[in-house]
Amino acid sequence: LYVDGSVDRQFLTGTGADDTITAIELRQDGRVLIGGGFRSYNGNVSYGLAEHNADGTLSGGFAVGTGFNGTVRDMKLMDDEQLLVVREFNSYNNTNAVYIARLHSDGKIDHQFAPKRVPNAPVNAVDYDQDGAIVVVGEFTMVGDYKRNFIVKYKSDGRVDPDFESVEGANGIIHDVVIQPDGKIIIAGDFTRINFVERNRIARLNPNGTVDR
């Protein structure tokens, strides 16, 4: 849309996606990444993830292969143009990727990010800090053999950060997360308590996971 709300008719999406789009990210050069539950975009097979140019046409430089075998819920474009993707899948382009994946700018999976401990239920949202550490939130209560109630922090290589306070975690599902420039973490969801502190459905955490009082 234009700033006045009228439709930009130069943005040509053709038939668009054949099912739900749940997430959008914008690259610096104007290319648009979309994620969701779709299987094709403008007649081209693209399972759960696609990239199109600023004019709406499909980008030829981003290849997802067989894509995701489940719905993408959220994604976050990192400063180095890598893409974090989360939600209800366990593989990407025939490669194991349980609920979370990190992709290179050309769509190939980043094998340097290889979590050995993965959530036991879907992830709803993701964000990252200036050190490349990744915070994911969702419906899970375990991450591998670690108790993690609805929130966990991974190091940039996919190892669970044992120093991040989330063993108690929240007492309800967390739906979204945003990391501030100073590293503090804002979460929102169905909880009324986080790390033993009463907080009704929204809270801000310090970078180590403790509640910002």
Side-chain angles (χ1 to χ4, degrees):
L1 305 179
Y2 288 110
V3 292
D4 63 359
S6 60
V7 176
D8 180 359
R9 300 186 184 279
Q10 302 303 311
F11 188 68
L12 305 175
T13 59
T15 56
D18 68 347
D19 207 332
T20 305
I21 295 175
T22 56
I24 301 174
E25 280 287 271
L26 182 65
R27 292 197 189 276
Q28 293 180 354
D29 62 2
R31 285 177 294 159
V32 182
L33 290 153
I34 57 172
F38 54 87
R39 295 190 173 191
S40 71
Y41 176 81
N42 197 14
N44 296 277
V45 174
S46 191
Y47 285 80
L49 184 66
E51 179 185 75
H52 52 75
N53 299 310
D55 63 359
T57 58
L58 197 66
S59 170
F62 187 80
V64 303
T66 57
F68 290 105
N69 67 341
T71 300
V72 171
R73 172 59 178 164
D74 191 29
M75 55 188 184
K76 184 67 65 173
L77 190 63
M78 304 181 77
D79 292 339
D80 59 3
E81 292 293 291
Q82 288 188 315
L83 184 69
L84 294 168
V85 188
V86 297
R87 190 45 172 161
E88 302 168 4
F89 50 81
N90 55 42
S91 74
Y92 173 75
N93 197 16
N94 298 318
T95 301
N96 187 55
V98 181
Y99 298 132
I100 181 170
R102 190 169 69 193
L103 310 181
H104 293 297
S105 60
D106 60 0
K108 294 179 181 177
I109 196 164
D110 179 9
H111 293 288
Q112 297 301 311
F113 180 75
K116 293 181 179 179
R117 293 180 170 89
V118 296
N120 65 345
V123 173
N124 290 334
V126 61
D127 205 351
Y128 71 100
D129 65 20
Q130 293 181 342
D131 296 327
I134 296 163
V135 175
V136 297
V137 299
E139 303 168 20
F140 53 87
T141 56
M142 297 289 293
V143 176
D145 53 355
Y146 287 176
K147 179 183 177 183
R148 291 292 186 271
N149 282 321
F150 312 114
I151 182 170
V152 64
K153 187 175 186 178
Y154 287 100
K155 296 179 182 292
S156 61
D157 61 0
R159 290 177 295 149
V160 173
D161 186 344
D163 299 323
F164 184 76
E165 185 60 55
S166 59
V167 175
E168 165 64 16
N171 66 344
I173 292 171
I174 302 176
H175 294 290
D176 208 356
V177 58
V178 174
I179 301 180
Q180 298 179 171
D182 62 1
K184 291 187 177 182
I185 303 160
I186 299 175
I187 56 173
D190 297 330
F191 57 88
T192 57
R193 189 180 69 249
I194 176 75
N195 292 335
F196 304 104
V197 179
E198 300 297 320
R199 288 291 187 272
N200 282 321
R201 299 171 182 84
I202 187 168
R204 186 167 67 183
L205 309 179
N206 294 309
N208 65 358
T210 58
V211 176
D212 182 3
R213 297 172 184 269

